[in-house]
Amino acid sequence: MNIAMIGSSYVGLVSGACLADFGHRVICVDKDDMKIDALKQGRIPIFEPGLDQVVADNVKAGRLSFTTDLKEGVGSADVVFLAVGTPSRRGDGHADLSFVETAARELATTVKPGTVVVIKSTVPVGTSDKVEHILNSAIPRLDVSVASNPEFLREGSAIADFKRPDRIIVGVNDERGRNAVSEVYRPLYLNRSPLMFTSRRTAELTKYAANAFLAMKVTFINEISDLCERAGADVQDVARGMGLDNRIGPKFLHAGPGYGGSCFPKDTTALIRIAQDFESPLRLVETTVAINETRRRAMGRKIAAACGGDLRGKIVALLGITFKPNTDDIREAPALAIIQALQDSGAAIRLYDPAGMEAARASIDGVEFGCSPCEIAADADALVIVTEWEEFRALDFRMLGQIMKSPCLVDLRNVYNREDIAKHGFRYFSVGRPDHDIPLQFIEAAE
């Protein structure tokens, strides 16, 4: 099939490259001249493991190309995907649909009659109806079919997610759209990937509901971790015991500093606003967002407590700035709020991240950046693991103990065990695991 992908950022580029890898002819369109020039020269503007090779292979095979010319991109397309951004709107948290609406108006003057337009962006309920109205109102005989096909890509494993998805959700209101999208994803039939057809509004809401549920799961285990610390339990064992129940499952039950990234914060807030507009408030989601906001700064207080309660004049070395490993994305990363809390308490901050340094330098003031864990740990009063990158799982604690002013590790991702770290003379603090024995009088009072 001939496919046009409008938007060549994370979702558009990954989706376009993978569709080309399936054998389709894909042209990615974007208004950003610098981005398109970079892609034509083989430079990938985002960090995603394996994406550079997929792009290179399909460009070489002639199945993938890039342009800033919308007419060139969609003129011969059988299917046009909209993968433009829907950031939070300033002031109210609603999803900003200005990019979607602009793309729809521009498509109306360039797309051929009978084309199927598929919205892959995360959009509020009813957006497909709005796009269809824009397209068919501009040219009454355009007769464009609009479908909704939300993405479920995880940064760091997006290619595997696209090629081996848990499910493919497609919202359609007519047979033409159903048949076209079925043909797009026909190569995945070999993998028996579930292709689920719904109404457009159902598909739009499914994306938000899925992300909100996962955000609630993360927040739930974080609250349980606080209780574990007070009660003398181990949140990792609690989470494992919960996850062995097939009704719950083990994923997203890892206690830490809270969720972040480009999806969960934006989508939970947007879902709250959608529910309020329909006069059907989602109290669980509202509480999830509130808890996650406070948790980040609470991690700052946890670090301060590990340093004796007073951070003035002390150096804190942070390992990780991205919201998760295997990405360079620092949007809404918990580390940002943690850094601010530590700076407000008078601490000097040093930072190292394997992929997020460029974004951090452009976004964070008053921080000293280093090139390795050892460089930022020299003379530091505490070393803090904020993001669980693989290279942080085998730190040289013998050397770190010699170069740090105070051998103290605050492990916000529970990468290590206290017993192993204590052998090197470190004080160790984690999340959801007791860092000391619970006093007997507290246990008796609780009983």
Side-chain angles (χ1 to χ4, degrees):
M1 300 185 75
N2 292 319
I3 295 174
M5 186 69 62
I6 310 303
S8 301
S9 293
Y10 192 87
V11 172
L13 183 56
V14 171
S15 301
C18 289
L19 289 173
D21 217 34
F22 291 165
H24 298 301
R25 293 175 296 276
V26 180
I27 183 165
C28 293
V29 184
D30 202 285
K31 291 183 175 181
D32 189 332
D33 293 325
M34 294 181 62
K35 182 187 297 181
I36 294 299
D37 287 342
L39 288 168
K40 286 181 176 180
Q41 295 173 32
R43 301 197 311 272
I44 308 301
I46 60 174
F47 182 90
E48 178 61 35
L51 181 59
D52 54 349
Q53 191 62 53
V54 177
V55 170
D57 289 346
N58 285 281
V59 168
K60 183 177 180 180
R63 292 188 297 266
L64 180 64
S65 58
F66 308 97
T67 184
T68 57
D69 188 337
L70 183 64
K71 187 174 182 179
E72 175 191 351
V74 306
S76 61
D78 304 303
V79 177
V80 176
F81 282 88
L82 285 184
V84 297
T86 54
S88 289
R89 194 167 67 192
R90 288 187 177 182
D92 60 11
H94 280 282
D96 184 351
L97 295 180
S98 59
F99 298 110
V100 173
E101 293 171 1
T102 297
R105 284 191 290 270
E106 293 176 353
L107 273 178
T109 62
T110 54
V111 73
K112 66 182 181 181
T115 301
V116 175
V117 175
V118 183
I119 302 175
K120 187 157 276 293
S121 305
T122 301
V123 294
V125 176
T127 302
S128 296
D129 300 340
K130 182 180 294 186
V131 169
E132 184 177 63
H133 177 74
I134 291 172
L135 290 168
N136 291 322
S137 295
I139 302 178
R141 295 182 182 179
L142 192 58
D143 190 28
V144 168
S145 175
V146 176
S148 173
N149 174 218
E151 55 86 15
F152 295 95
L153 305 178
R154 296 169 299 167
E155 293 188 38
S157 57
I159 294 173
D161 288 344
F162 196 96
K163 293 187 174 183
R164 291 179 291 278
D166 294 330
R167 76 291 200 199
I168 304 165
I169 307 294
V170 183
V172 291
N173 283 11
D174 55 59
E175 281 302 310
R176 192 197 323 155
R178 181 187 181 104
N179 293 337
V181 178
S182 295
E183 184 63 20
V184 168
Y185 288 111
R186 185 172 56 82
L188 288 178
Y189 292 177
L190 297 175
N191 297 337
R192 298 183 181 275
S193 300
L195 184 58
M196 177 180 172
F197 287 97
T198 71
S199 71
R200 295 187 307 207
R201 290 190 169 215
T202 299
E204 290 165 343
L205 187 54
T206 300
K207 165 68 176 184
Y208 280 112
N211 276 358
F213 185 82
L214 294 175
M216 286 193 293
K217 200 172 180 183
V218 171
T219 303
F220 177 82
I221 201 63
N222 282 340
E223 287 217 297
I224 291 295
S225 75
D226 291 342
L227 177 58
C228 285
E229 290 183 16
R230 297 294 186 92
D234 188 323
V235 72
Q236 289 184 298
D237 288 339
V238 171
R240 184 168 182 269
M242 291 172 58
L244 290 172
D245 187 328
N246 289 331
R247 297 169 300 175
I248 299 173
K251 295 182 178 180
F252 289 86
L253 286 179
H254 302 285
Y259 61 78
S262 62
C263 291
F264 283 8
K266 172 178 72 73
D267 292 350
T268 49
T269 301
L271 182 58
I272 290 170
R273 299 294 179 260
I274 293 168
Q276 290 171 346
D277 286 346
F278 282 97
E279 298 182 352
S280 181
L282 298 174
R283 302 304 187 200
L284 281 173
V285 184
E286 291 173 1
T287 302
T288 294
V289 171
I291 293 171
N292 193 65
E293 288 294 324
T294 59
R295 183 165 186 82
R296 301 171 183 185
R297 292 191 71 87
M299 295 298 100
R301 294 192 294 273
K302 185 180 189 70
I303 296 167
C307 294
D310 186 0
L311 288 174
R312 286 175 294 183
K314 293 185 176 179
I315 299 172
V316 178
L318 299 185
L319 295 176
I321 182 66
T322 56
F323 81 97
K324 61 182 288 189
N326 298 321
T327 180
D328 60 352
D329 195 345
I330 69 169
R331 285 175 290 180
E332 298 290 337
L336 298 175
I338 292 172
I339 289 172
Q340 186 62 61
L342 295 176
Q343 289 178 329
D344 291 346
S345 298
I349 309 299
R350 294 178 183 166
L351 176 65
Y352 167 69
D353 187 282
M357 299 295 277
E358 182 178 349
R361 287 190 175 95
S363 304
I364 306 172
D365 296 324
V367 172
E368 181 181 343
F369 298 97
C371 297
S372 69
C374 286
E375 181 177 343
I376 65 170
D379 297 321
D381 295 277
L383 184 65
V384 183
I385 298 177
V386 184
T387 311
E388 65 279 31
W389 284 91
E390 285 293 332
E391 69 175 84
F392 300 157
R393 295 179 181 273
L395 297 172
D396 187 346
F397 287 101
R398 181 178 299 177
M399 178 179 291
L400 290 171
Q402 295 173 353
I403 63 176
M404 291 182 66
K405 182 178 181 181
S406 174
C408 172
L409 178 66
V410 183
D411 185 358
L412 299 184
R413 297 291 183 175
N414 292 348
V415 174
Y416 294 96
N417 293 316
R418 179 172 60 168
E419 293 76 12
D420 295 335
I421 305 305
K423 295 176 183 178
H424 299 282
F426 273 75
R427 292 179 296 117
Y428 179 74
F429 302 87
S430 59
V431 175
R433 298 185 292 187
D435 296 318
H436 51 75
D437 294 329
I438 304 299
L440 180 61
Q441 63 268 27
F442 179 84
I443 299 174
E444 292 174 342
E447 292 175 348

